[in-house]
Amino acid sequence: MLTVSKLTKSFGANTAVDNATIVVRQPAMIGIIGRSGAGKSTLLRMLNRLTDATSGEIRFDELNVTGLTGAAKRNWQSQCAMIFQQFNLVPRMDVVSNVLHGTLNRRSTFSTMFNLFPQDDITRAIDILDRLGIAEHAPKRAEALSGGQQQRVAIARALMQEPSIILADEPIASLDPMNAQVVMQSLRKIHEEDGRMVIANLHTLDTARRYCDRVIGMRDGRIVFDGTPEQLTTGVARDIYGADEHFSEAATSTQIETLGATQQAPQPVDA
């Protein structure tokens, strides 16, 4: 069970995440939506411990995540895998080696320096690539693949960590609609077949409704909605995105989704 209690992150006078509380009692696919700067990325980075919380607590089962340091913190980051919008692959390295980098936390410094991977890990990496429909690209350089294929390589790398939780920070924001669908289907399949918790920052309501069991809406660092896709009405979406400031009562959900998508410009604190 994942429990986030009164989690807050401040950068000087700016509060990026404000008193966030979330309880996830069983593995689910959860979408987090909101405008750019709402705190979505900062929240995920705190869950993964890439960013330290200013106050509050994160617990996973009996583990106090916010109190971890050193090797225990690195072990948590392996258990709580992160997928990024820009893939974070090594472009000139072949695909299978990029996937194998998911095992770095449990390998020796010597083997890491010389890229020495056990045959069992290589076989498993190729099996994961096959599961994601890109095994034929294993020997190619990552830079030779399309954006959607590279994101699936990043998902494969995350799976190599054997994580309990997969965090995806805007995993489809830079992809065309077809590749975005393939990536979201892959994440949904991983949740359903592996029983893994998947938490993804998303930029359209339609994606959250279609793929997620639960949707969390953030506005100005605070959680303003936490419910099922069916409860995510146009009125609720208007509250999340502040669309009442831009649209009349006749505003459509499509217009509100457009607002969410156009608010995704990079921010210094949160994307």
Side-chain angles (χ1 to χ4, degrees):
M1 181 173 72
L2 176 68
T3 305
V4 177
S5 303
K6 299 181 179 179
L7 200 65
T8 297
K9 178 64 179 180
S10 298
F11 295 91
N14 177 39
T15 300
V17 175
D18 187 3
N19 207 37
T21 295
I22 304 168
V23 177
V24 186
R25 301 187 185 280
Q26 59 187 11
M29 184 148 179
I30 301 170
I32 304 178
I33 61 173
R35 301 173 73 165
S36 180
K40 306 185 303 296
S41 292
T42 301
L43 176 60
L44 258 60
R45 291 175 68 85
M46 284 192 288
L47 292 179
N48 183 258
R49 289 298 312 278
L50 289 172
T51 296
D52 291 334
T54 302
S55 62
E57 185 179 71
I58 304 164
R59 301 192 71 90
F60 185 71
D61 293 334
E62 299 303 315
L63 183 67
N64 181 357
V65 174
T66 38
L68 299 177
T69 59
K73 177 180 172 180
R74 291 191 295 273
N75 287 338
W76 168 249
Q77 289 172 331
S78 181
Q79 189 178 359
C80 183
M82 192 86 165
I83 299 167
F84 300 90
Q85 177 181 340
Q86 298 302 330
F87 320 136
N88 283 16
L89 303 178
V90 182
R92 296 176 64 84
M93 184 176 288
D94 62 75
V95 165
V96 72
S97 294
N98 270 283
V99 175
L100 286 161
H101 276 196
T103 66
L104 292 183
N105 278 352
R106 60 175 186 264
R107 295 172 62 219
S108 68
T109 302
F110 178 84
S111 61
T112 298
M113 287 177 60
F114 292 96
N115 265 352
L116 301 175
F117 299 101
Q119 185 58 48
D120 286 350
D121 281 353
I122 295 172
T123 300
R124 182 164 171 266
I126 294 173
D127 286 344
I128 293 173
L129 288 169
D130 184 52
R131 177 183 181 186
L132 294 170
I134 50 173
E136 69 273 19
H137 300 298
K140 297 180 182 178
R141 286 184 176 183
E143 63 188 357
L145 275 57
S146 70
Q149 291 167 339
Q150 288 188 52
Q151 191 61 286
R152 280 183 280 168
V153 174
I155 293 171
R157 181 183 58 194
L159 287 176
M160 280 298 294
Q161 298 178 210
E162 300 182 347
S164 299
I165 302 173
I166 293 178
L167 305 177
D169 191 9
E170 299 286 4
I172 62 172
S174 60
L175 303 180
D176 61 77
M178 182 62 70
N179 277 308
Q181 180 176 326
V182 171
V183 166
M184 289 306 300
Q185 287 173 342
S186 297
L187 290 172
R188 181 70 201 183
K189 189 174 181 181
I190 287 165
H191 159 62
E192 290 178 346
E193 295 184 353
D194 298 2
R196 299 182 200 270
M197 187 185 304
V198 177
I199 304 176
N201 287 344
L202 302 169
H203 67 281
T204 68
L205 304 181
D206 180 65
T207 303
R209 289 190 183 110
R210 181 174 181 182
Y211 294 102
C212 298
D213 308 308
R214 176 176 171 185
V215 181
I216 293 171
M218 296 188 70
R219 182 177 179 183
D220 299 329
R222 299 185 68 86
I223 293 174
V224 295
F225 172 78
D226 187 348
T228 66
E230 293 76 20
Q231 294 171 319
L232 187 59
T233 63
T234 299
V236 170
R238 192 177 289 119
D239 290 339
I240 295 169
Y241 289 103
D244 54 318
E245 300 171 6
H246 300 267
F247 299 112
S248 68
E249 285 303 312
T252 66
S253 60
T254 300
Q255 288 174 310
I256 295 173
E257 288 183 19
T258 301
L259 174 64
T262 56
Q263 293 292 330
Q264 298 303 313
Q267 300 288 321
V269 173
D270 179 45

